[in-house]
Amino acid sequence: MNQSNEDHQVPRDPYVQRPVREPMFNLPPVVVGLSLIFIGIHLVRVYVLSSDAELQTLLLFAFWPVRYVSDFSAQYSWPGESFSAVWSFLTYGFLHGSAQHIGFNILWMAVFGSAVARRFGAMRFLLLSAICAIAGAGAHLATNWGQSIPVIGASAAVSGQMAASLRFIFEAGGPMSAFRRHDSVAYSVPARPLMEALSDSRVLTFMLVWFGLNALFGIWSAPIAGEGANIAWQAHVGGFIAGLILFPLLDPIKARRT
């Protein structure tokens, strides 16, 4: 007499916890939330604000290197100008020049920022992003002192997320390693010290390509990716370096000892 397949199944221990597999496109809520904020702000600027209100928004929230020249405040002033000189180090990251500009930043944040968000949690992820945005603005200010062209976009913050992800995504069992895991544990693999991580050919190749592309942006100084403005590549570099340095300070996972 034939028995059904169920008769041959090995009983499962109800106390053994199976690893939770995370869907590939199940983005962390903080990444989804930031993306929606970027899109919402841009839609309001494009479809709701008048031309005068849009200009005032840029004056108050974009990052203007010329604002820090000593005689600037004596020649130009508008309501909130002194405060915006402080908060614009961060707020410029919420403004974008076009839908394509937002799309590129959201795409890279979804790929690399999501890995960091799953590892860090929402608050550490937001702190990392904010500091990288500030570092990007500082790097741009140092190399473009007195420039009257405003800087907008989350690219510096996303560059920092990308750099932070390089510290662990290629580790054994990590989300982009040769022998990767496919559950949440992949985002909790211990990371190596920075100098040891830089000896990994995959990390080094990624960084060389990334810095090479940003060097080309600086040499050509041409609008790309629908931004309608020159690439603020110095801000990218500042954010990227900040992400590399900040990673061990914010990483909740104990570092791997060698």
Side-chain angles (χ1 to χ4, degrees), residues 28-246:
V30 67
V31 171
V32 175
L34 272 181
S35 300
L36 293 177
I37 289 172
F38 293 159
I39 294 170
I41 289 174
H42 187 71
L43 291 176
V44 169
R45 289 176 56 212
V46 172
Y47 296 107
V48 177
L49 298 184
S50 64
S51 298
D52 289 342
E54 164 66 1
L55 175 59
Q56 189 66 26
T57 298
L58 290 176
L59 290 174
L60 286 174
F61 300 109
F63 186 76
W64 299 77
V66 70
R67 175 181 281 144
Y68 306 95
V69 175
S70 58
D71 61 345
F72 175 78
S73 58
Q75 299 181 43
Y76 305 96
S77 182
W78 55 83
E81 189 278 328
S82 58
F83 294 105
S84 64
V86 177
W87 67 50
S88 62
F89 272 88
L90 178 61
T91 56
Y92 79 98
F94 292 91
L95 306 176
H96 291 83
S98 66
Q100 293 91 336
H101 189 190
I102 297 174
F104 271 84
N105 278 335
I106 289 178
L107 173 63
W108 293 119
M109 181 167 63
V111 175
F112 296 99
S114 291
V116 179
R118 290 190 176 106
R119 184 183 182 94
F120 278 15
M123 294 307 298
R124 291 172 188 255
F125 173 78
L126 291 175
L127 180 59
L128 171 79
S129 302
I131 297 177
C132 289
I134 293 170
H140 185 82
L141 177 62
T143 53
N144 293 273
W145 184 260
Q147 189 180 78
S148 59
I149 301 175
V151 177
I152 57 176
S155 297
V158 174
S159 295
Q161 297 164 12
M162 190 179 298
S165 73
L166 290 180
R167 299 295 303 274
F168 68 92
I169 59 174
F170 294 121
E171 294 296 322
M176 293 189 183
S177 67
F179 302 99
R180 65 180 65 88
R181 294 181 61 106
H182 297 282
D183 55 22
S184 60
V185 179
Y187 303 97
S188 301
V189 294
R192 288 177 289 179
L194 176 59
M195 296 310 297
E196 187 176 342
L198 293 178
S199 66
D200 188 318
S201 60
R202 296 163 297 180
V203 175
L204 189 59
T205 299
F206 186 100
M207 290 181 61
L208 289 175
V209 171
W210 188 89
F211 277 102
L213 288 174
N214 278 275
L216 289 177
F217 297 159
I219 293 172
W220 287 342
S221 189
I224 67 166
E227 294 195 25
N230 293 341
I231 302 296
W233 62 272
Q234 299 96 328
H236 299 182
V237 172
F240 192 93
I241 293 175
L244 281 179
I245 295 173
L246 283 172

